[in-house]
Amino acid sequence: SGSLNTDVKLDGIDLSGNPNLVRLRLAGNDFTSIDVRNKKYLRYLNVSNNRLREIDLTGCDQLSEVLLSNNYFGFSTLPLPSMYWQTYDYYQFNMKADKNYRVGAVLDYSDMVLREGTNTTCGLFMVDEENANNVVALDESYYTFDVETGKVTLLKETEANVFLAFANDAFPGITLTSMPLRTDNFRVRKPEDFGK
């Protein structure tokens, strides 16, 4: 809904339209890039359910509703929340993970989970095989998280699927147990059981 501005670029294509763009809804189109910089009248932006990894909201000073959910943003690329935004929806698609990892594997999600000047926390959660909504936090005997490098070392075999969850203090709507930035499910196996 809304008119498209001539300066709005979608995946490198210029779209013609209204220079006084107020509402832009481009949800569910598999876009990988959207340029909405300097849209001084833009109040509503919905680009959920695409494949975006970054967005620049410079010059969009009238925004009050920002919906960026279900894309591939990380803490490093999500726009910081603004006190002027009435709505900011930013739950993301899972970060990719292999189906299995060996005990001792080091997973590097630093480009997604670290943001300069902020603090990131990490947790490892086991998924109930019969109820995917039932998850249990595993203690730190199963993993280490280096807050400086953003790397996670897997220390113990898991008896069921697990996932890594990340939270960052710049994004108060994200906690380790509520809408975290998280990985796909995976198993941690002993070297001798790997590949079985």
Side-chain angles (χ1 to χ4, degrees), residues 41-79:
Y41 301 112
L42 188 62
R43 292 177 182 260
Y44 173 88
L45 175 65
N46 184 347
V47 293
S48 299
N49 297 296
N50 282 289
R51 293 182 291 134
L52 302 174
R53 295 186 180 277
E54 60 186 358
I55 193 165
D56 185 351
L57 300 180
T58 302
C60 299
D61 300 329
Q62 298 297 316
L63 278 172
S64 64
E65 295 181 75
V66 180
L67 297 100
L68 306 178
S69 62
N70 294 327
N71 279 287
Y72 294 102
F73 294 104
F75 297 137
S76 60
T77 59
L78 270 171

Side-chain angles (χ1 to χ4, degrees), residues 99-131:
K99 291 188 181 287
N100 295 287
Y101 291 101
R102 288 182 171 87
V103 170
V106 177
L107 308 184
D108 185 355
Y109 290 101
S110 57
D111 61 331
M112 295 291 286
V113 304
L114 297 182
R115 186 179 190 124
E116 189 173 342
T118 66
N119 297 307
T120 298
T121 54
C122 176
L124 184 67
F125 293 84
M126 188 176 308
V127 180
D128 185 327
E129 300 290 337
E130 296 178 11
N131 180 1

Side-chain angles (χ1 to χ4, degrees), residues 89-191:
D89 185 8
Y90 49 78
Y91 181 74
Q92 297 299 297
F93 285 130
N94 292 349
M95 295 182 292
K96 298 297 178 199
D98 293 343
K99 291 188 181 287
N100 295 287
Y101 291 101
R102 288 182 171 87
V103 170
V106 177
L107 308 184
D108 185 355
Y109 290 101
S110 57
D111 61 331
M112 295 291 286
V113 304
L114 297 182
R115 186 179 190 124
E116 189 173 342
T118 66
N119 297 307
T120 298
T121 54
C122 176
L124 184 67
F125 293 84
M126 188 176 308
V127 180
D128 185 327
E129 300 290 337
E130 296 178 11
N131 180 1
N133 293 322
N134 185 19
V135 298
V136 176
L138 297 177
D139 64 53
E140 292 185 1
S141 67
Y142 283 87
Y143 70 101
T144 60
F145 174 61
D146 187 324
V147 297
E148 299 296 323
T149 66
K151 294 180 181 178
V152 178
T153 304
L154 304 172
L155 303 176
K156 279 167 83 168
E157 180 180 29
T158 59
E159 52 193 65
N161 281 331
V162 295
F163 64 87
L164 289 165
F166 299 90
N168 184 285
D169 60 5
F171 301 94
I174 292 177
T175 68
L176 292 179
T177 57
S178 175
M179 298 192 307
L181 190 60
R182 59 157 286 182
T183 66
D184 290 332
N185 293 342
F186 60 88
R187 287 285 294 266
V188 183
R189 300 184 183 274
K190 294 178 183 174

